[in-house]
């Protein structure tokens, strides 16, 4: 079995889309190649446990929840934390196939499956094209992000050797470390870890872009200031007050106010554009547009917002109100509750609670990412009780915390206090 041919199309990333140098390559692979990869992966489970890319039950939201919870726990324990967001240059274009095949072999993929991959990765040809027509053959080899995740499995031990925790989503890697506020070794540990990561990248033909690598420091208390910079060769990395991480804007106090403001701005812009063409749309078409361009943004990673004050999430509720009025062509001050009922929409606060309950349900039933299980421990009574089969959760202790709205994974405030999960086969979506 051999799949050798593919088509490499490209989309422009700049207004001057005539120039081929402005295009980003997208490879259209044969379906049999993708099926082969998935079958072999399902039989070997070779991915890192901290890799959330392209895995069932995993998502950017579960990956960010794991990291955010670790940062919040450290803050509740009066420890500071540092978060490093690594940036790779053209990661998917520089993979060395011989190293990849060696990695697959070390993970137990040998014999006929390994020869399939060798056939799949070598001697391939293809045509590179744009919307204006074909313009030559391409020497870029075709492979998928799932193989890239396997390719980077040996990076985890390098990171952990320096005492850092990490989480990955495809080629996006997050490093985080909690420390006592008076620890003088933090800067040196960060420099050493990044230096070893950079060396590992070179050995694996990857390029770590230190100029675009983000560094965030989360102080133990709002008044505490950590003033240190990281020097690596001729480059200096300075801390940022906020940074974009898998589509979510993190700030150094974990208030997510910048993320809410950015989401509200993008939704207002989408509503403004839909409003221009509203006279030409039916009610159903308008609802589809609003759900695709506005509601989806309001729902993305909204589990982080659990436990935040109502005034903080109010801008998102105002966006949803405006969206409902736009669907039905109602005036600005029209009451929105009947509109929500007709659309079967939950208000923002209820949508957040629904998301956290759904994640908790999936975690306790084993269908969510494994790294979330330790964050929602099941209550086991010390003696036989009738409630032992009701799958209650342990209520997290918040004694001594300086942060009264500390949400403990953003999930447990709504469900840990004796919450019972019924044996349902699934849950509806709002």
């Amino acid at each position: 079995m051999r799949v050798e041919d593919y088509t490499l199309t490209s989309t422009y990333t700049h207004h001057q889309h005539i120039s081929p140098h402005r295009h980003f390559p997208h490879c259209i692979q044969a379906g049999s190649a993708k099926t082969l990869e998935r079958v072999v992966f399902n039989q070997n489970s070779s991915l890192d446990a901290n890799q959330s890319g392209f895995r069932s039950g995993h998502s950017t939201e579960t990956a960010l929840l794991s990291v955010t919870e670790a940062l919040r726990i450290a803050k509740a324990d009066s420890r500071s934390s540092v978060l490093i967001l690594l940036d790779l240059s053209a990661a998917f274009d520089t993979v060395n196939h011989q190293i990849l095949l060696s990695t697959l072999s070390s993970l137990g993929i040998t014999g006929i499956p390994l020869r399939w991959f060798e056939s799949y990765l070598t001697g391939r040809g293809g045509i590179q094209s744009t919307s204006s027509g074909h313009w030559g053959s391409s020497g870029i080899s075709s492979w998928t992000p799932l193989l890239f995740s396997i390719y980077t499995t040996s990076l985890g031990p390098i990171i952990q050797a320096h005492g850092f925790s990490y989480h990955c989503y495809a080629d996006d890697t997050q490093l985080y470390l909690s420390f006592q506020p008076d620890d003088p070794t933090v800067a040196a540990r960060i420099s050493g870890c990044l230096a070893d990561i950079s060396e590992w990248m070179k050995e694996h033909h990857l390029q770590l872009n230190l100029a675009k690598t983000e560094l965030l420091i989360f102080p133990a208390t709002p008044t505490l200031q950590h003033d240190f910079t990281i020097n690596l060769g001729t480059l200096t990395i300075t801390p940022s007050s906020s940074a974009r991480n898998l589509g979510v804007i993190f700030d150094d106090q974990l208030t997510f106010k910048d993320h809410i403001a950015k989401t509200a701005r993008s939704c207002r812009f989408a509503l403004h554009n839909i409003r221009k063409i509203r006279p030409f749309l039916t009610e159903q078409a308008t609802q589809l547009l609003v759900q695709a361009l506005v509601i989806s943004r309001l729902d993305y990673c909204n589990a982080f917002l659990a436990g935040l004050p109502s005034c903080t999430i109010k801008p998102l509720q105002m966006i949803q109100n405006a969206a409902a009025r736009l669907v039905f062509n109602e005036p600005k001050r029209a009451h929105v509750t009947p509109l929500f009922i007709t659309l079967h929409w939950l208000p923002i606060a209820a949508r957040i609670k629904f998301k956290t309950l759904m994640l908790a349900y999936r975690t306790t039933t084993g269908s969510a990412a494994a790294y979330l299980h330790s964050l929602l421990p099941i209550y086991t009574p010390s003696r036989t009780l009738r409630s032992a089969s009701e799958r209650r959760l342990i209520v997290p202790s918040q004694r001594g915390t300086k942060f009264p709205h500390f949400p403990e994974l953003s999930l447990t405030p709504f469900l840990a206090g004796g919450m019972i999960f019924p044996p349902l086969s699934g849950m509806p979506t709002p």
Side-chain angles (χ1 to χ4, degrees):
M1 174 177 167
R2 186 180 181 90
V3 184
E4 294 187 352
D5 296 328
Y6 64 91
T7 300
L8 189 69
T9 62
S10 55
T11 57
Y12 66 87
T13 58
H14 192 273
H15 296 297
Q16 299 176 354
H17 55 276
I18 298 177
S19 172
H21 302 290
R22 299 288 187 181
H23 288 68
F24 183 81
H26 294 276
C27 184
I28 303 176
Q29 301 173 354
S32 56
K34 295 181 179 180
T35 303
L36 163 65
E37 179 191 70
R38 177 60 61 179
V39 168
V40 174
F41 167 72
N42 288 339
Q43 291 179 352
N44 289 273
S45 290
S46 303
L47 286 186
D48 189 338
N50 292 322
Q51 171 63 257
S52 294
F54 314 100
R55 303 178 68 179
S56 177
H58 298 66
S59 65
T60 55
E61 187 162 22
T62 60
L64 292 176
L65 273 175
S66 176
V67 175
T68 305
E69 170 62 0
L71 299 176
R72 282 173 166 158
I73 288 178
K75 199 167 190 178
D77 292 339
S78 299
R79 290 180 294 150
S80 298
S81 300
V82 61
L83 175 66
I84 305 171
L85 309 177
L86 301 183
D87 182 84
L88 301 182
S89 299
F92 289 177
D93 300 335
T94 58
V95 167
N96 183 283
H97 291 169
Q98 292 303 318
I99 297 178
L100 175 57
L101 291 172
S102 176
T103 302
L104 291 171
S105 177
S106 67
L107 294 174
I109 300 176
T110 57
I112 293 177
L114 184 62
R115 289 198 295 272
W116 282 348
F117 277 109
E118 186 175 2
S119 173
Y120 169 46
L121 293 170
T122 58
R124 302 173 61 81
I127 297 176
Q128 188 166 340
S129 64
T130 66
S131 57
S132 60
H134 297 88
W135 42 276
S137 62
S138 170
I140 299 177
S141 296
S142 168
W143 55 280
T144 68
L146 186 56
L147 285 179
F148 179 84
S149 300
I150 297 176
Y151 185 76
T152 57
T153 51
S154 60
L155 178 59
I158 302 294
I159 298 171
Q160 291 176 327
H162 293 270
F164 281 76
S165 300
Y166 70 97
H167 208 102
C168 304
Y169 191 91
D171 63 328
D172 291 298
T173 303
Q174 310 167 65
L175 319 179
Y176 53 98
L177 172 70
S178 298
F179 55 92
Q180 295 299 327
D182 57 351
D183 188 345
T185 66
V186 176
R189 293 173 67 183
I190 296 174
S191 298
C193 184
L194 291 179
D196 286 352
I197 291 174
S198 182
E199 185 63 28
W200 182 93
M201 295 287 180
K202 292 178 182 178
E203 293 175 356
H204 288 72
H205 300 262
L206 300 175
Q207 178 61 47
L208 178 61
N209 191 346
L210 291 174
K212 292 185 178 180
T213 294
E214 297 281 0
L215 172 66
L216 279 81
I217 300 176
F218 304 89
T221 60
T223 58
L224 181 63
Q225 297 294 329
H226 292 282
D227 185 17
F228 59 83
T229 57
I230 308 302
N231 296 311
L232 280 175
T234 59
L235 292 176
T236 300
I237 303 176
T238 57
S240 304
S241 59
S242 63
R244 189 178 183 88
N245 185 13
L246 295 178
V248 176
I249 300 177
F250 277 57
D251 60 89
D252 55 9
Q253 298 297 329
L254 290 176
T255 62
F256 294 104
K257 290 182 179 180
D258 293 342
H259 174 68
I260 291 174
K262 179 66 169 60
T263 301
R265 284 196 300 269
S266 63
C267 289
R268 278 195 295 269
F269 181 71
L271 289 174
H272 173 73
N273 289 333
I274 297 173
R275 190 172 288 109
K276 288 182 179 180
I277 61 173
R278 180 63 181 88
F280 311 101
L281 299 175
T282 63
E283 184 177 292
Q284 182 181 8
T286 306
Q287 180 181 349
L288 291 175
L289 274 178
V290 167
Q291 290 182 164
L293 301 178
V294 178
I295 302 302
S296 62
R297 296 179 182 179
L298 297 178
D299 287 340
Y300 180 68
C301 289
N302 59 353
F304 299 117
L305 310 182
L308 295 180
S310 299
C311 60
T312 302
I313 63 173
K314 183 178 179 180
L316 302 182
Q317 185 60 64
M318 295 176 66
I319 291 293
Q320 190 187 30
N321 295 348
R325 295 185 182 109
L326 179 60
V327 170
F328 293 103
N329 249 339
E330 293 289 337
K332 185 177 180 179
R333 297 189 180 279
H335 193 48
V336 297
T337 300
L339 307 182
F340 285 176
I341 294 174
T342 303
L343 292 168
H344 301 283
W345 287 0
L346 294 174
I348 293 297
R351 298 177 84 89
I352 294 171
K353 185 174 182 178
F354 181 92
K355 175 70 75 63
T356 57
L357 288 169
M358 182 179 64
L359 286 172
Y361 173 80
R362 290 178 176 174
T363 300
T364 56
T365 55
S367 59
Y371 50 76
L372 293 181
H373 294 173
S374 62
L375 304 178
L376 288 176
I378 301 296
Y379 172 69
T380 303
S382 57
R383 63 182 188 278
T384 303
L385 299 175
R386 286 179 295 178
S387 61
S389 61
E390 294 177 348
R391 291 186 290 178
R392 297 176 183 265
L393 300 179
I394 296 177
V395 180
S397 174
Q398 298 186 22
R399 292 183 179 180
T401 180
K402 302 177 183 178
F403 308 97
H405 64 277
F406 174 64
E408 287 282 347
L409 179 61
S410 303
L411 301 178
T412 53
F414 303 116
L415 45 90
M419 180 67 187
I420 301 174
F421 290 100
L424 301 178
S425 59
M427 296 182 70
T429 56

